[in-house]
Amino acid sequence: MTKILIIDDDPSVVGFLTNVLTDNDYEVVSADNAADGLNLALDQTPDLILLDIEMPTATGSDFYRRLRHEKTLKETPVVVVSGYHSKHIAVTKNVPVLEKPVDEDQLIAQVRASLGTGPGH
Amino acid sequence: MTEAPPLVKRWISERLFEYAPVYITVLDEQLNIVVANHNIQAVFGEADGRKCYEVYKKRDVTCQPCAAQRVFIDGRARRSEETGVDRLGQGVDYVVHHAPILDEDGRVAYVAKMSYDVTEQKDLQKQLDLVFNLAPCSVAIINKNLRIMQANDHVREEFGEVTGVHCYEVYRHRSEPCADCPAMDTLADGKTHTVQQIRFGVDGTPQNYLVSTAPLSTGVRDQDFVVEMSLNVTELHRLAEVAAVGRGVGEIAHRMKNVLTGLRGSAYDIRTGLQKSLPERTQGGLESLSRNVDRLSTLVTGCTKVTRGVSGQMDAVDPREVGAEVVDQFRDVAAQGGAELVFNPGPEITPLWMDAEGITACLANIVSNGIEACQTAADDDAAASDGADPCRVTLRIDSDLDQVRFVVTDTGCGMDTDTRDRLFKEAVSTKGWQGNGMGLLVASRVVADHGGTITVDSEPGQGATFRISLPRRDEPGVNGSKGSRGEDNDEDPDHR
């Protein structure tokens, strides 16, 4: 089963994304901060990471930079889920951004596109 | 005095009358000019045999009052300032001395009228008055008792009629001199001093002023007057605030989006829970709906407070009561969080005119942040140490003539420079989704509405100290003109 890691400090957001993804037959793991997120990523090698940018302590941008230095994770697709307009994001231009409030159809469409599975994966 | 040489004596008797750079005439009792020097003829025209008032004033009748006539009556010399008309019809300002010329019996036979021209000085004075009023800032002359002796139009526009009133009554609605008084500094050392001050206009609104004082003398005599120039820089402060609000709005929008995502999630859970007959999910959706509506409502209330200030209900309140209320409110919370909450109200303080609800909210926010900073520090240190000193949050109050200060110190986790610099300008939260970042933004707005200041000192790991200073003033909205105008018999010994 395709595994997706959610990193967001807001439990409402994590709960919502988790329900939408599990309803669409994805396996979900989640962390509420960047450090735990990186450990979980190293441990679970997810197929896709949904990443919030604005979190206390380390930001999503820090997480992204560290992720790209990990041999096993540097090719893992990342989708930024953020309340900030994309111009604020200190990650590379080819990282897709879902702006909050996220719509469930948009989310699934973006997840499929990033996984390269297209509709009806 | 030695006898002048004969040549000099002859020059004085024959030529001085003509050469002296003054106007000289001698009048008989009917005010006829019996003799006039050359300067008189040159400036006022033909004089010999004519009436004094015809020549000097181009009048047909005697002046009322006439200084020369009074000298003829009582034989006493007189000095006066007068304005005449020259032979071309132009005004001439001159200072005139009338001196009696006595006969052998001691009667006043003639009056000598000696005048010097002050037209240029008068013109200069008029130009200075013009500059005084046209200056693009407030200008006032203040005496050693701190009374305003003269003020330009700008001062009157912003503070009403101020002449004769103490500057501290006019500018800051106080009954005593301010502690940071630059005029007193200038009176003491004769040097220029500059300060930034909050002043209250006629309607009681606080305004930021840049104030410079300078000695008004040549330095020869004792320094008795100060010229004070002040520029209203409120608009500059406001523009800086607007720029900060712009950044704040971005932060708030971001928080709103998180809440909206949460709400969308709630809707999704309720809908899919019902569709799939998953009552637990439906129940979870309803709970998260309620949670997110609460978050949204807190955020909106915060925004409203930032835009409008708090209640704005101003009363004379004992600052120590406000402090005590906040400490009572948080004592249990602090104890639960393993922090010690200490209240040091200091000696008795006269009530301060303030929005008690707003200031209570400010202090509550800062104290609650301090307790959380203690908890964060405890979490960070949990593995490293045990048995260390308990983390402490202290609220201290002190006051002087000028202001009341609330100082909140915590020994918690502290903050970095970036957070510290943005603290009062943007919606900053270090608590992630749990904080809305509005607390200190609201606090800084409430304090600004009091004409006060809020500052913070902090280093990571070194705790934090917040200082709120509120200026003392009388009841707002009351014009400074209620001051004891005029009777300048208060030789305030304290003010040099």
Side-chain angles (χ1 to χ4, degrees):
Chain A
M1 197 189 263
T2 309
K3 190 185 286 177
I4 298 177
L5 167 62
I6 302 169
I7 305 173
D8 196 312
D9 69 311
D10 187 332
S12 294
V13 176
V14 173
F16 174 39
L17 298 181
T18 303
N19 283 346
V20 173
L21 292 170
T22 50
D23 287 351
N24 284 271
D25 301 323
Y26 293 102
E27 187 187 344
V28 175
V29 288
S30 67
D32 67 1
N33 66 74
D36 290 352
L38 192 63
N39 288 335
L40 208 53
L42 286 165
D43 188 46
Q44 304 267 325
T45 50
D47 300 288
L48 174 77
I49 298 171
L50 295 178
L51 176 64
D52 181 27
I53 286 296
E54 171 77 359
M55 289 180 288
T57 63
T59 66
S61 311
D62 294 334
F63 170 86
Y64 184 83
R65 274 192 296 276
R66 286 189 213 166
L67 187 76
R68 289 298 177 244
H69 285 107
E70 297 293 338
K71 204 180 291 175
T72 53
L73 297 171
K74 62 182 176 189
E75 300 300 328
T76 309
V78 171
V79 174
V80 164
V81 180
S82 171
Y84 280 112
H85 191 267
S86 51
K87 72 178 176 185
H88 289 292
I89 290 158
V91 290
T92 61
K93 283 176 196 157
N94 12 358
V95 175
V97 177
L98 282 176
E99 209 176 315
K100 290 174 182 173
V102 182
D103 168 281
E104 53 263 32
D105 295 336
Q106 260 183 339
L107 172 70
I108 293 303
Q110 182 59 58
V111 165
R112 284 176 181 159
S114 291
L115 289 167
T117 49
H121 70 110
Chain B
M1 194 160 137
T2 53
E3 180 92 342
L7 184 66
V8 175
K9 283 173 86 175
R10 198 166 73 237
W11 183 86
I12 289 172
S13 65
E14 289 175 8
R15 312 301 289 266
L16 176 62
F17 183 68
E18 289 299 344
Y19 282 168
V22 291
Y23 312 127
I24 307 175
T25 51
V26 177
L27 313 179
D28 67 15
E29 205 158 357
Q30 284 72 48
L31 304 179
N32 294 309
I33 294 174
V34 296
V35 64
N37 72 349
H38 176 73
N39 276 335
I40 286 286
Q41 319 264 359
V43 173
F44 291 98
E46 191 53 48
D48 281 347
R50 301 180 68 199
K51 297 286 187 193
C52 142
Y53 47 82
E54 291 173 351
V55 174
Y56 284 91
K57 305 273 177 80
K58 308 292 182 279
R59 290 167 59 96
D60 299 327
V61 291
T62 320
C63 311
Q64 290 299 335
C66 170
Q69 280 178 337
R70 297 176 70 180
V71 177
F72 276 109
I73 293 166
D74 62 15
R76 286 169 57 188
R78 279 183 174 73
R79 176 188 179 281
S80 54
E81 277 184 44
E82 294 185 19
T83 302
V85 180
D86 72 8
R87 61 192 176 87
L88 302 173
Q90 303 282 318
V92 181
D93 295 300
Y94 54 93
V95 174
V96 54
H97 292 260
H98 291 89
I101 299 174
L102 308 177
D103 62 15
E104 298 81 5
D105 304 325
R107 286 191 324 112
V108 182
Y110 299 98
V111 167
K113 187 169 167 134
M114 297 163 286
S115 330
Y116 55 90
D117 200 315
V118 292
T119 311
E120 270 185 29
Q121 287 95 310
K122 285 271 182 189
D123 284 351
L124 192 62
Q125 184 60 53
K126 280 174 200 155
Q127 282 165 16
L128 285 176
D129 287 348
L130 208 61
V131 170
F132 194 65
N133 276 322
L134 289 180
C137 63
S138 301
V139 185
I141 311 289
I142 296 174
N143 76 359
K144 64 183 162 69
N145 298 321
L146 302 180
R147 284 193 195 275
I148 297 175
M149 304 311 292
Q150 205 181 337
N152 71 355
D153 292 344
H154 285 279
V155 179
R156 279 189 291 276
E157 272 163 29
E158 296 192 37
F159 299 98
E161 193 44 64
V162 299
T163 311
V165 187
H166 289 121
C167 55
Y168 47 84
E169 294 177 86
V170 169
Y171 296 142
R172 302 181 80 180
H173 298 192
R174 295 166 51 84
S175 48
E176 288 165 327
C178 314
D180 61 344
C181 175
M184 273 160 73
D185 291 342
T186 292
L187 285 165
D189 64 11
K191 295 194 170 111
T192 301
H193 291 272
T194 302
V195 297
Q196 280 218 47
Q197 250 181 12
I198 304 275
R199 295 179 167 182
F200 303 99
V202 279
D203 59 353
T205 54
Q207 306 275 315
N208 297 81
Y209 275 88
L210 191 64
V211 184
S212 279
T213 53
L216 189 64
S217 86
T218 55
V220 177
R221 278 189 286 184
D222 280 352
Q223 187 50 60
D224 276 339
F225 294 98
V226 168
V227 59
E228 177 219 63
M229 284 154 288
S230 40
L231 193 61
N232 190 333
V233 292
T234 313
E235 192 61 12
L236 287 178
H237 279 247
R238 204 187 61 78
L239 286 173
E241 261 179 28
V242 168
V245 167
R247 292 193 295 273
V249 166
E251 291 283 337
I252 291 159
H254 168 241
R255 287 168 217 285
M256 290 274 190
K257 287 175 184 173
N258 261 350
V259 178
L260 288 173
T261 306
L263 284 171
R264 187 158 267 165
S266 314
Y268 178 85
D269 287 352
I270 294 165
R271 193 181 71 235
T272 54
L274 291 172
Q275 278 169 355
K276 299 178 181 183
S277 300
L278 298 169
E280 273 180 29
R281 180 183 280 199
T282 309
Q283 184 61 33
L286 287 168
E287 282 162 13
S288 112
L289 179 67
S290 151
R291 230 175 13 249
N292 281 296
V293 167
D294 284 348
R295 285 169 71 189
L296 195 59
S297 136
T298 311
L299 206 53
V300 170
T301 312
C303 287
T304 317
K305 285 179 180 170
V306 172
T307 343
R308 287 208 313 251
V310 189
S311 75
Q313 176 61 47
M314 303 291 277
D315 292 298
V317 181
D318 184 345
R320 302 193 306 170
E321 280 177 21
V322 172
E325 190 181 321
V326 172
V327 171
D328 284 349
Q329 194 182 330
F330 282 95
R331 206 179 295 279
D332 292 345
V333 180
Q336 282 159 19
E340 189 187 349
L341 183 54
V342 180
F343 183 38
N344 181 0
E348 201 167 311
I349 301 173
T350 35
L352 177 73
W353 202 259
M354 65 166 131
D355 166 11
E357 188 192 326
I359 296 298
T360 305
C362 292
L363 291 174
N365 187 272
I366 295 169
V367 167
S368 127
N369 283 347
I371 294 167
E372 275 160 24
C374 280
Q375 284 162 345
T376 306
D379 293 346
D380 292 349
D381 293 348
S385 68
D386 48 356
D389 286 344
C391 188
R392 184 175 296 129
V393 180
T394 310
L395 168 58
R396 182 166 61 79
I397 303 176
D398 62 55
S399 82
D400 57 30
L401 282 180
D402 222 31
Q403 57 193 351
V404 171
R405 271 180 303 274
F406 295 92
V407 183
V408 180
T409 306
D410 70 70
T411 56
C413 61
M415 68 192 88
D416 59 29
T417 315
D418 178 57
T419 308
R420 202 180 58 211
D421 290 349
R422 295 186 301 135
L423 217 49
F424 306 116
K425 300 176 189 153
E426 301 171 25
V428 177
S429 175
T430 54
K431 296 173 223 158
W433 69 277
Q434 296 177 80
N436 63 36
M438 304 295 284
L440 289 173
L441 210 54
V442 173
S444 88
R445 175 61 197 250
V446 171
V447 172
D449 282 351
H450 284 72
T453 55
I454 180 167
T455 59
V456 60
D457 285 329
S458 183
E459 297 289 338
Q462 302 296 313
T465 299
F466 285 82
R467 291 186 182 80
I468 295 178
S469 295
L470 302 178
R472 279 202 177 278
R473 54 164 163 159
D474 296 340
E475 188 176 340
V478 177
N479 189 356
S481 64
K482 79 192 180 81
S484 46
R485 187 184 304 269
E487 72 277 346
D488 204 354
N489 49 10
D490 52 349
E491 287 299 320
D492 320 32
D494 294 336
H495 312 126
R496 280 155 288 180

